[in-house]
Amino acid sequence: MPLPQPDDLTSLVLRTDFGDEGAWNAVRAALDAADDHPHATYVSDLRFAGVGVQALVAEEAAADEVEQIVHLFLADAATMKDPGHPLLAVDLWDEPGRTFRVPARWFPDISANLSIANMDFAEFADAADTSGTFHGFDQGSRGSGRRS
C-alpha cells in the first residue's frame, strides 16, 4: 500500500509513536504555530506504529512512480519526548533512507523549500550539526547529515 499523499504543497508528517495523545497534539500545535501557512499533512494511522525508515523506503520504492513521494517527516518517540519536537526528515528519492532531525521552528522553511523543489534534501541534511539536527544555515556547525 503506498504512503499517503500530502495535500497540495504540504509535507507528509507521519506519526509512528502512539504512546501519548497529548504529545501528538503538542507536536501538531508546535508545527502549526511555526508559520502562518499550513505546511503539514498529518497522518496518524496505527499501521505506521513503530515503523522504521528502511521499511518506509521499501514501501515507497514498491509504489507506482506517480504515487511516490520524495520526502516525509516522522513524528517518532524522540519527537514526542523532546520539547523542541524535532521531526525525523527522511529522503525517499535521491538518497533513500538519509535522515536528519528538524525542530518544529525550522519545519516550515524546510517543508516549503522541499515541496516546491527550491532546494534539495541534501542541502538541509548537509547543514545538520554533528548530532544530525538542522538548526538553520547560519549556525556555523555544519555536518554531513545522518544515515539511518
Side-chain angles (χ1 to χ4, degrees), residues 95-110:
E95 297 177 67
R98 187 172 186 190
T99 65
F100 65 93
R101 289 274 169 196
V102 180
R105 70 171 292 224
W106 293 107
F107 175 74
D109 293 336
I110 294 172

Side-chain angles (χ1 to χ4, degrees), residues 4-143:
Q5 294 289 319
D7 296 333
D8 303 322
L9 290 176
T10 60
S11 294
L12 182 65
V13 175
L14 187 65
R15 181 181 184 186
T16 64
D17 182 276
F18 290 83
D20 184 345
E21 196 66 29
W24 171 239
N25 291 335
V27 168
R28 291 175 41 204
L31 295 175
D32 290 344
D35 194 55
D36 293 336
H37 305 285
H39 290 278
T41 295
Y42 298 107
V43 175
S44 180
D45 183 334
L46 283 173
R47 85 175 177 104
F48 297 111
V51 71
V53 169
Q54 291 309 315
L56 292 169
V57 168
E59 185 168 337
E60 195 60 7
D64 291 334
E65 190 171 329
V66 296
E67 295 176 329
Q68 291 180 346
I69 58 175
V70 298
H71 68 276
L72 60 78
F73 297 85
L74 298 183
D76 59 5
T79 305
M80 302 298 184
K81 290 180 178 122
D82 189 301
H85 304 298
L87 298 169
L88 184 65
V90 181
D91 186 350
L92 297 171
W93 192 260
D94 289 325
E95 297 177 67
R98 187 172 186 190
T99 65
F100 65 93
R101 289 274 169 196
V102 180
R105 70 171 292 224
W106 293 107
F107 175 74
D109 293 336
I110 294 172
S111 174
N113 280 293
L114 291 178
S115 293
I116 64 171
N118 185 50
M119 295 179 76
D120 294 328
F121 189 94
E123 292 177 82
F124 293 105
D126 289 347
D129 65 16
T130 56
S131 75
T133 303
F134 179 85
H135 294 286
F137 290 110
D138 298 333
Q139 300 302 312
S141 58
R142 293 183 178 228

